[in-house]
Amino acid sequence: MIKIEDKFIHIATNNTSYVFCITPYGDLQHLHYGGRVADNHLDVLKELRSVLLVNTLYPDGDESYGIDGTCFEYSFANRGNSSAVGTIMSDKNGGVFDFVFSNAKIGEVPPTLAASSHGYDNTLVVIMKDKCRNVMLELWYLVYENVDVITRFARVINCEKEDISIHKLMSAQLDIFGDDFELTTFDGAWGRERIAKTHTINSGSFLAGSHSGMSGAECNPFFMIKDKSAGCNCDDVFAFNLVYSGSHQFSAERNPYGVVSVMNGIQSDGFLYKLQQGQNFVTPESVMTFSCFGTNGVSQNMHAFVQKHITRYVGQLPVMLNSWEAMYFDITEQKVMAVIDGASELGFEAVVVDDGWFKNRHNDTLALGDWVEDKNKFPNGIVSVANYCKSKDMIFGIWIEPEMISVDSDLYRANPTWALMTPKAKAIVGRNQYILDLTKTIVQDYIVEAVGRLVEDYGIGYLKWDFNRRLSDICCDDGSQSYHYRYTLSLYQIMERITKKYPKLIIEGCASGGGRFDLGMLCYCPFVWVSDNTDPLSRAEIQEGTSYGYPMNVMLNHISASPNHQTERSSKIKSRLDIAHCGAFGAQLDPNKLCKEDKQALSDAIKVYKNDRVWLENCKSYRLSNGQVDNHCIWQIMSKDGDYVKLVIFKKRFYTVDATLKIKLKGLDDDALYEIFGEGLTRQAYGLTLKNGGFVLPQNYQGVKYEESTGRIGDSGTAVYYIKKKG
Ligand code: DGJ
């Protein structure tokens, strides 16, 4: 619902309200974001200040309206603000822009970027006009009522004759009063992506983001703000994300008057965009949600939003076997055929040949860009392998890194200017490779054609789209410093063309593991590779961190061999399977090298997963512990109708005699009788008992006896129980 009345604007979702008003000075004063409020008498949300805020500035000498003590919908430079502002723009003389309200419209069609959400309930655009120039700033709001999400973005339209410069334009700004907020970021590095870290926001500013041209493993665009007292299931939490895969930033700054200004958008450090007459500039979409049910509440909103309004692929995703850790670059037709046989026997639905399949790609210094088969490795051609795979009723897929080029490649020899390299200087390499200049139309066409050939000539049904280095050596800018933005938009144009032309093609997103795990990529990829680290202990933490912002069905998980190739830690196949099951499930190992028992375990697990995935796609999940701090990661995964619950417990460290673990389940029907089964146990209990009394986890291991054959928590690290509503 969107309502504009008496200068008050009220946007409501099922459980939240977002309110701002137009002040007598033409500013937009933010009044409330949180639980639902009534439609009328919204003026009560306005502070009636009668105390002069010394040092701050006032429009028209109005002492009740100190700039620093007021929450704004969007703040502008040149007003004497003490805090950072949401936009900085200038004209050719360096004159700074300042906008005032002009108009507001409900139900207009939004001019979003290619990667954007879909299926909104309604839209609002607030049009602001610069005080001195014919330049408009539009603030857009897209409302998703059922999932309690509002997305926002800004657009600038230059109707002046002269160019204007955009130095900073955040997608959204949210000013809220708060004393003791905590901000949680999800950052890390290769192999340890999206680990939750909490920072206190009580004075000064916190600024994070990426500068590398990609959303990055170092700082995911998803973040949360909450009151210190808010927990997993109660009290107020705000969460934010950005539909964008390029360099991004977010910040939270608390000024001395208690206003906390939260912003997110494209990275403004070094940013400059020149806008000519008649042109417009659109920011990526910021996503925000609020819940009074703690961090699980905002996660559930974000999950439903991603499932319903971000991913676009329609169809079931296959249980997939990937060749990377089984073969690395040492690929042969014979080996791939054998893997196809093994995969088919175990029940896999797709086989994906990773890096190393194409002409001359014997190691990572060679051949990126030459997306044709290596005849020495595939003497009968990729088509024959693809056909063989399809004859076993499995999809055939291959790896590609289409945004890259190796100097030792036919592509580079023919088109050296397509690579990003600083002229007359030694360009920086990353994994021995360079980036293609995606902003060139000819390069975009080449990538679309190359992918088209793989689909049409080789019969590929699955593409793993990798991206293994950051952007550098930008030397082809047009006087603007906006290459990262334009690169990202070009990437979306390419993906848009490919997904429109081949809607059935499954594209897995990947970037040196989970380096581009973001809502932009998820518009085109139904799932994204979470991390190269598949060790269950590391993986449980990575998946738990990822689960704050993203639902399980978009997390691509594999089981791999033990000892793990990244951590060298050994683990039981059960732990690896149980953890990998919490997402889109697959494997990267040679099925033919597994022992008889492990083969059986994997084949059984595939059957279980095929059953579960029907409800996993729209599941609701709860984190029942803080796996970052506690000894356990405990995840309750529940079907949409609440009839099925899967409880996954991962124990990090073993103690010979451990404390009793009592798990209180969430969201169950009080009066319904549930059957609990798993790990050799069967019990019954009412929902009310499981919620308030809890499920006491059986302790099966006390350091006195060890049974290899059992799948209990004591000997494997994981325990999985199903809780099913009876009748
Ligand atoms: C990085 C990816 O994360 C891996 O899964 C694998 O595809 C390699 N690249 C291949 O070079």
Side-chain angles (χ1 to χ4, degrees):
M1 187 227 45
I2 303 173
K3 197 169 165 191
I4 307 176
E5 204 173 277
D6 292 339
K7 306 228 175 254
F8 284 90
I9 298 177
H10 182 187
I11 303 173
T13 65
N14 286 0
N15 302 294
T16 69
S17 281
Y18 188 95
V19 185
F20 57 100
C21 69
I22 304 144
T23 73
Y25 315 107
D27 297 327
L28 301 179
Q29 183 177 357
H30 179 81
L31 297 174
H32 171 74
Y33 184 34
R36 187 84 191 237
V37 298
D39 276 355
N40 303 314
H41 294 297
L42 292 171
D43 53 322
V44 74
L45 297 168
K46 253 180 141 172
E47 188 190 357
L48 301 176
R49 183 179 297 122
S50 55
V51 179
L52 181 80
L53 299 177
V54 178
N55 275 346
T56 96
L57 302 184
Y58 309 90
D60 267 2
D62 179 349
E63 293 186 356
S64 69
Y65 192 79
I67 294 280
D68 284 345
T70 304
C71 291
F72 289 107
E73 207 40 31
Y74 215 65
S75 57
F76 307 107
N78 217 14
R79 290 186 167 202
N81 314 51
S82 68
S83 307
V85 292
T87 178
I88 304 174
M89 288 163 47
S90 63
D91 62 19
K92 76 170 196 315
N93 302 318
V96 179
F97 286 67
D98 189 358
F99 294 87
V100 286
F101 177 80
S102 163
N103 198 0
K105 294 180 193 168
I106 296 173
E108 296 289 300
V109 177
T112 45
L113 299 182
S116 61
S117 62
H118 56 87
Y120 51 79
D121 291 305
N122 209 348
T123 66
L124 167 75
V125 55
V126 179
I127 302 152
M128 304 188 82
K129 193 174 172 301
D130 180 59
K131 284 177 178 168
C132 315
R133 305 162 194 86
N134 209 3
V135 174
M136 308 294 169
L137 171 69
E138 295 177 349
L139 305 182
W140 282 87
Y141 302 79
L142 275 51
V143 188
Y144 294 90
E145 293 183 4
N146 293 338
V147 295
D148 289 326
V149 162
I150 299 171
T151 72
R152 296 172 58 182
F153 66 95
R155 172 160 84 146
V156 177
I157 305 165
N158 181 13
C159 302
E160 283 287 320
K161 284 209 173 65
E162 278 157 3
D163 290 6
I164 60 170
S165 299
I166 301 172
H167 307 269
K168 178 180 183 185
L169 188 65
M170 291 292 95
S171 296
Q173 172 175 344
L174 175 69
D175 284 2
I176 33 179
F177 285 110
D179 227 4
D180 245 350
F181 278 134
E182 282 181 350
L183 180 142
T184 309
T185 57
F186 295 86
D187 39 48
W190 173 82
R192 53 181 171 87
E193 295 92 339
R194 293 171 298 285
I195 304 296
K197 281 197 198 78
T198 296
H199 318 263
T200 305
I201 308 293
N202 49 19
S203 73
S205 79
F206 180 92
L207 174 66
S210 72
H211 295 79
S212 55
M214 58 199 286
S215 49
E218 294 76 15
C219 180
N220 195 266
F222 175 77
F223 65 102
M224 301 186 305
I225 302 258
K226 66 178 189 67
D227 227 69
K228 252 195 185 137
S229 58
C232 300
N233 302 299
C234 62
D235 288 333
D236 297 358
V237 183
F238 303 90
F240 305 83
N241 209 335
L242 197 65
V243 189
Y244 195 57
S245 313
S247 300
H248 68 96
Q249 77 175 49
F250 58 85
S251 60
E253 179 170 8
R254 185 184 183 277
N255 77 12
Y257 307 95
V259 176
V260 178
S261 226
V262 184
M263 300 180 199
N264 66 345
I266 48 182
Q267 178 57 254
S268 63
D269 191 9
F271 182 78
L272 176 67
Y273 194 94
K274 290 264 168 68
L275 207 60
Q276 292 164 3
Q277 184 185 22
Q279 288 186 332
N280 65 82
F281 178 89
V282 180
T283 71
E285 215 177 343
S286 165
V287 181
M288 50 182 206
T289 189
F290 165 88
S291 173
C292 60
F293 296 109
T295 52
N296 275 320
V298 289
S299 293
Q300 286 164 2
N301 293 349
M302 283 292 186
H303 293 179
F305 173 72
V306 174
Q307 286 162 341
K308 290 186 191 140
H309 305 294
I310 287 290
T311 52
R312 301 173 183 178
Y313 181 82
V314 184
Q316 192 164 68
L317 298 168
V319 182
M320 173 264 290
L321 189 119
N322 172 293
S323 71
W324 182 238
E325 289 194 2
M327 301 178 205
Y328 292 106
F329 291 105
D330 193 13
I331 294 179
T332 64
E333 185 173 298
Q334 218 181 359
K335 281 192 193 172
V336 174
M337 297 294 244
V339 161
I340 290 174
D341 286 338
S344 157
E345 271 166 36
L346 295 180
F348 282 96
E349 298 162 314
V351 169
V352 178
V353 179
D354 209 285
D355 198 355
W357 63 269
F358 50 100
K359 199 175 133 206
N360 295 334
R361 179 71 167 174
H362 308 304
N363 57 54
D364 68 8
T365 64
L366 301 165
L368 290 174
D370 299 345
W371 307 115
V372 289
E373 66 208 353
D374 188 313
K375 280 281 185 198
N376 294 322
K377 293 182 182 178
F378 293 96
N380 296 303
I382 284 271
V383 179
S384 75
V385 181
N387 286 342
Y388 183 65
C389 190
K390 285 188 239 170
S391 75
K392 302 246 169 195
D393 224 10
M394 293 189 295
I395 299 169
F396 185 71
I398 48 179
W399 176 96
I400 180 172
E401 200 178 359
E403 298 159 71
M404 300 291 161
I405 183 165
S406 302
V407 166
D408 195 342
S409 67
D410 293 344
L411 186 71
Y412 184 81
R413 283 182 280 275
N415 306 288
T417 57
W418 287 11
L420 282 183
M421 288 184 181
T422 309
K424 297 188 193 151
K426 211 165 183 247
I428 297 170
V429 284
R431 209 197 186 197
N432 311 299
Q433 64 202 46
Y434 299 90
I435 305 258
L436 282 172
D437 181 3
L438 256 55
T439 61
K440 287 189 164 78
T441 316
I442 192 168
V443 173
Q444 297 176 10
D445 293 345
Y446 145 80
I447 294 176
V448 175
E449 276 162 29
V451 170
R453 271 199 309 277
L454 301 180
V455 177
E456 287 171 27
D457 298 354
Y458 292 167
I460 304 303
Y462 184 118
L463 207 62
K464 176 172 174 181
W465 186 300
D466 206 347
F467 180 81
N468 281 301
R469 61 153 295 178
R470 304 168 177 184
L471 267 61
S472 71
D473 293 275
I474 293 148
C475 56
C476 44
D477 226 335
D478 57 354
S480 282
Q481 288 149 31
S482 59
Y483 188 79
H484 289 187
Y485 171 78
R486 292 188 293 113
Y487 180 93
T488 311
L489 265 49
S490 306
L491 170 66
Y492 293 154
Q493 287 309 331
I494 294 168
M495 301 206 80
E496 197 75 24
R497 284 168 66 185
I498 292 172
T499 47
K500 288 235 160 82
K501 195 159 179 201
Y502 306 108
K504 287 201 176 133
L505 178 71
I506 298 165
I507 306 180
E508 168 193 337
C510 174
S512 287
R516 222 166 37 178
F517 200 110
D518 57 63
L519 298 182
M521 291 312 284
L522 283 169
C523 289
Y524 304 103
C525 307
F527 46 32
V528 176
W529 180 226
V530 170
S531 174
D532 278 344
N533 190 345
T534 44
D535 165 65
L537 172 56
S538 315
R539 192 70 177 207
E541 289 179 345
I542 296 169
Q543 286 174 216
E544 178 154 322
T546 308
S547 78
Y548 280 85
Y550 304 89
M552 281 184 187
N553 60 309
V554 304
M555 295 188 208
L556 180 59
N557 295 333
H558 287 169
I559 79 145
S560 56
S562 173
N564 183 270
H565 291 200
Q566 275 71 44
T567 62
E568 296 187 355
R569 219 180 342 245
S570 297
S571 59
K572 286 280 174 76
I573 193 157
K574 181 178 188 304
S575 318
R576 283 175 276 145
L577 287 168
D578 287 344
I579 294 299
H581 263 185
C582 299
F585 177 61
Q588 54 177 306
L589 43 70
D590 187 340
N592 303 315
K593 287 194 179 144
L594 292 175
C595 65
K596 202 170 145 231
E597 292 75 24
D598 285 1
K599 262 191 190 163
Q600 190 57 52
L602 181 50
S603 141
D604 291 347
I606 291 175
K607 283 191 198 107
V608 170
Y609 177 76
K610 284 180 183 168
N611 248 338
D612 286 356
R613 73 176 161 195
V614 182
W615 56 270
L616 261 179
E617 253 176 47
N618 295 306
C619 67
K620 185 169 177 178
S621 57
Y622 298 86
R623 290 169 300 270
L624 299 182
S625 66
N626 181 349
Q628 237 72 131
V629 189
D630 303 339
N631 193 31
H632 298 91
C633 293
I634 307 175
W635 306 328
Q636 178 185 334
I637 309 160
M638 190 159 79
S639 62
K640 205 174 159 200
D641 57 13
D643 286 1
Y644 246 103
V645 170
K646 187 171 174 179
L647 185 65
V648 181
I649 302 136
F650 181 80
K651 185 171 181 170
K652 295 185 193 170
R653 182 187 266 251
F654 287 101
Y655 298 100
T656 47
V657 178
D658 213 346
T660 299
L661 193 60
K662 198 180 202 186
I663 299 169
K664 292 185 180 169
L665 297 174
K666 303 281 166 205
L668 301 186
D669 206 344
D670 286 356
D671 302 324
L673 184 62
Y674 291 86
E675 185 173 14
I676 307 168
F677 53 96
E679 311 291 344
L681 174 107
T682 320
R683 295 183 99 170
Q684 292 196 347
Y686 278 97
L688 191 65
T689 314
L690 290 171
K691 275 161 68 177
N692 297 333
F695 165 49
V696 185
L697 206 72
Q699 291 214 28
N700 294 330
Y701 179 64
Q702 293 213 325
V704 287
K705 109 174 184 297
Y706 176 75
E707 284 176 51
E708 187 142 18
S709 59
T710 59
R712 291 174 189 154
I713 191 162
D715 61 357
S716 71
T718 50
V720 175
Y721 298 92
Y722 283 91
I723 295 113
K724 199 178 161 214
K725 203 190 250 184
K726 284 201 81 177

